Amino acid sequence: MRVLSSGSTALLVELDDLDAVLALYAALADQPPEGVVDIVPAARTVLLVTDPARTSLSAVADAVRRTTPRPDARTGGEVVELPVRYDGEDLEELAGLLELTPEELVRRHTGEEWTVAFGGFAPGFGYLTQPGGRWDVPRRSTPRTKVPPGSVALAGEFSGVYPRESPGGWQLIGRTDVAVFDLDRDPPALLRPGVRVRFVEVGGR
Amino acid sequence: MTRALTVLAAGPLTTVQDAGRPGQAALGIVRSGACDRAVYRQANRLVGNPEDLAVLEVTYGGLAVRAEADLLVVTTGARCAGPFPHAAPTLLRRGTELRLGPPGTGLRTYLAVRGGIDVPRVLGSRATDVLSGLGPAVVADGDVLPVGPPVDPLPGVDVAPVPEIPGGEVTVRVLPGPRADWFGDAGWAALTGRSWTVTDESNRVGIRLDGSPLERVRGGELPSEGMVRGALQVPPSGKPVLFLADHPVTGGYPVIGYVADEPVRSDVDRCGQLRPGQTLRLTAAGA
């Protein structure tokens, strides 16, 4: 673990891999150090944003070093089931690229539980990972200017669901009717870090 | 008598802002809120508002409003041309208009109304986040903005002493960022050794700076990581972007440094007043 400075109010904790991020984030989110107002997990890092009126960066750094990561981060979270129609525009081509049939790709996507590792691209967008990181999906060479909301997509080792229409370079494999971001719900984001996700195939292709 | 302001002209960009929505960054929701927080809080204090009530953030003047009731209002931040007194709480009688000309220096003026701009909160805040689109819509001509009831007692200030916002070159302190080592000592020296020009590709998200590009001393991709306002992120062009209130929650380019942002003396607040064409000098903090 390396603790890097991030300005007057934040610290960036750098870790070896995504599982270490999940484990540290789960422990910190459970019991945030005094004076920490935001905890932002990402692929290799956890950012801690402080209220300088309530704490100091050195006190927070000490608290982080004393924190025991939660080894059950992939199994301890709430479970969300997302029904998906696997009719995405890129399904066939991507399956070919991965040397799978579309059916095999869908089986792999639905066969194992995903965990929301972190967010960041847009409100309510979650970067989902499967244990073992078996995916290695290239982004589209030309990003789409409009990806419809509810699109279920893959890129790199991650899967994601577009919360609303936005540009995007991920490979679209299907869509869900579940609103993953809803301002009238508390919390508004369904796919929060630590939440486990099961994709379930519905309808025909 | 409805407490409200009717917008006759919104100007180049006027948004509703408050202290923002901290605590939700893990959901991809940035804090947002006023770009110049110190001046925003001052505006609220001058009309006896709690410090977190919503105000109007007026970019480069141009706002005209009509009071639909007797309202106590004040402007802080960039001093706009026109007859309206600056930093002096003023009773705007029902039916009278307030027109802000362009500011002589500075970019953002805060117009606070006693009782606060009372549009509905979105996720705990009335701030407009121009990047994600969360919060109230950008203020438009014809909008009727409700004003809340007065809360705290009046402070009894006639005119607040406020420093002029500088034009020309501005100097701010910068701290090494998490990826300063991607640019080596030479990169740091290049960042802090000369002035950068504020380009017109600048908004509430960030300020794109122009100058000789910074060179990386190492290659490779950086996995996206969280950041806060004040970050100086260096994209492949080598020209830093200084992030402000509506920055993305995470970024995939290395952050070489951070502009100092202590609450009592925030240099990021001062950067919120920079306008295109001004130059910015970044000096190593503590040096």
Side-chain angles (χ1 to χ4, degrees), chain B residues 120-258:
Chain B
R121 285 193 174 91
V122 176
L123 303 180
S125 162
R126 299 181 172 97
T128 297
D129 174 350
V130 299
L131 184 65
S132 76
L134 283 180
V138 168
V139 173
D141 298 359
D143 282 358
V144 178
L145 302 168
V147 172
V151 186
D152 291 348
L154 274 175
V157 176
D158 294 333
V159 183
V162 287
E164 284 300 315
I165 293 171
E169 183 154 285
V170 169
T171 301
V172 297
R173 297 161 298 146
V174 60
L175 306 153
R179 306 299 167 192
D181 58 336
W182 284 45
F183 301 89
D185 292 344
W188 184 254
L191 179 77
T192 55
R194 55 186 154 74
S195 59
W196 297 86
T197 303
V198 175
T199 69
D200 55 12
E201 286 177 85
S202 302
N203 55 23
R204 285 182 43 84
V205 177
I207 296 173
R208 208 175 274 279
L209 297 171
D210 197 17
S212 348
L214 300 172
E215 283 178 33
R216 282 191 194 179
V217 295
R218 55 162 290 179
E221 294 267 306
L222 182 75
S224 289
E225 55 194 26
M227 49 185 187
V228 291
R229 73 175 200 156
L232 286 155
Q233 192 196 53
V234 185
S237 70
K239 298 176 181 181
V241 176
L242 166 54
F243 279 116
L244 298 179
D246 293 351
H247 65 87
V249 173
T250 59
Y253 299 121
V255 171
I256 186 174
Y258 267 96

Side-chain angles (χ1 to χ4, degrees), chain A residues 8 14 37-38 42 45 124 164, chain B residues 23-25 27 132 179 224-225 261:
Chain A
S8 311
E14 188 174 55
V37 293
D38 258 313
T45 55
R164 52 172 192 185
Chain B
Q24 303 174 78
L27 309 182
S132 76
R179 306 299 167 192
S224 289
E225 55 194 26
D261 195 15

